[in-house]
Amino acid sequence: MTQANHLACGDIIIIALPDHKPICQIKEMKSTTNEQKSCLIIGGGISGLIAGNMLQRQGIKVTILDKGRGIGGRLATRRIRNESYGQGVFDYGAQFFTVSDPQFQKWVDQWLEQGIIKEWSKQLTNIEKPCYCGVESNRNLAQYLAKDLDVHLQTRVIKIIWEADSWTIETEKGHGFQANILIMTPPIPQSLALLEDSDITLPSPIKSRLEQVTYYPCMTVLLLLDKLSLIPKPGGLRLKDYSLAWIACNHKKGISPEGFAVTLHSTPEFSQNNWDTEDSLVVEKLLKVATSWLGSTVVDYQVHRWRYSHPKTVYGELYLPLDQPGLLIMAGDVFSAMPSLDLSLNLEKATLSGLAAGNYLLQKIE
Ligand SMILES: Cc1cc2nc3c(=O)[nH]c(=O)nc-3n(C[C@H](O)[C@H](O)[C@H](O)COP(=O)(O)OP(=O)(O)OC[C@H]3O[C@@H](n4cnc5c(N)ncnc54)[C@H](O)[C@@H]3O)c2cc1C
């Protein structure tokens, strides 16, 4: 039995130095019992949150660890406050999502019923189809899914260890967590790096398949304006331009009532070519295209770089189950049978992957 197994869930170990200096390290250990299975999920994006909800409903003890400051991963919202021009609320990752799969539709119907999401418009994709977004913000959907889960934010996992029939996870801040089952949902290059740092070797055909997965980058610019933009209702436009792919008015979307908040998404080509360009120049370049949709002055801005915004290629299956060294499942938007016809619509894929991973685990541990 390892030291961790002697601890109650959430116990804190205070390690005193021999010379009685102040505490040098605080270590949390999640223990497991024979009666209750436990699952650690790396990544609090939509795939991790959906899998976590499914498993917890079936009595499995779920802990989610995410390096981000907020829950949701690429389902992201940020605020910019300005004394004179109020608070702008920006969805700056996923903008909206659509539904094709009946399984996902059931979740979406519940979120609609609970007032967490709304139909933004039917006019945002090439085909007429409901496009949903969070009523308050897209991150709010992630917060809703996280509300009953044990979530640890600003918790970057740096090592995973399989020993004594369970996974032990080490975080950057020196905390430790333990469980029987592990689900990994970060973008594939980040998961591969973590496995390598942990000296966990994948079978080479699987490793090389994972290494072939690639992503498009995206640079997002958040603009706080002095007055309402000229972007036509419902407030989101796809552009056919070399540099700018998408422009959205969060005020018209209904999530930024107090501030005129506009989100810009650059194209993969522009993002690639300007990745190291300084923020002010990125904004200047994108404003050349965006300005005709703004009709107002920019009072503040922020730039966010998404290295892994959308999968360019997919893994070909809904999840990746591994039995060695212990039970480990990889999930996320890359785990899909085929790429989206519409390259920007991947949230449903991430959700379906999380659901499939959850189902697989439930059957496996029955
Ligand atoms: C700019 C942009 C626009 C988009 N627009 C749309 C859209 O309009 N419609 C749509 O359907 N989709 C859209 N998408 C895609 C959609 O957001 C994603 O497909 C989906 O959110 C992915 O979810 P996920 O759970 O697979 O991954 P993520 O949301 O990326 O979750 C992975 C999580 O892992 C965490 N993590 C990584 N490494 C570690 C570590 N070592 N320790 C702890 N945590 C770690 C990360 O912090 C992250 O939260 C967009 C994405 C971007 C970036």
Side-chain angles (χ1 to χ4, degrees), residues 42-49 65-68 70-76 92-98 155-158 185-187 190-191 194 218-220 238 246 265 306 308-311 331-334 343-351:
I42 306 176
I46 192 80
S47 59
L49 288 169
L65 309 173
D66 198 293
K67 66 181 167 68
I71 192 76
R74 281 172 272 167
L75 199 54
Y92 68 102
Q95 299 293 293
F96 61 87
F97 58 91
T98 53
T155 302
R156 182 190 291 271
V157 176
I158 55 164
T185 68
Q190 294 176 341
S191 289
L194 184 54
C218 177
M219 291 169 92
T220 300
R238 278 173 201 238
W246 167 261
H265 284 164
W306 297 100
Y308 309 110
S309 79
H310 297 285
D333 59 357
V334 148
L343 280 184
S344 66
L345 292 176
N346 288 300
L347 193 122
E348 180 175 21
K349 293 198 176 297
T351 313

Side-chain angles (χ1 to χ4, degrees), residues 224-275:
L224 186 66
L225 306 180
D226 67 340
K227 51 181 187 286
L228 190 60
S229 78
L230 304 176
I231 301 165
K233 281 186 180 170
L237 275 183
R238 278 173 201 238
L239 305 174
K240 288 196 170 74
D241 179 72
Y242 159 76
S243 50
L244 199 57
W246 167 261
I247 180 165
C249 172
N250 294 287
H251 188 81
K252 287 177 188 163
K253 189 178 185 181
I255 65 162
S256 183
E258 292 167 23
F260 302 120
V262 166
T263 303
L264 309 181
H265 284 164
S266 64
T267 60
E269 299 74 29
F270 178 91
S271 311
Q272 196 93 53
N273 294 334
N274 290 278
W275 195 253

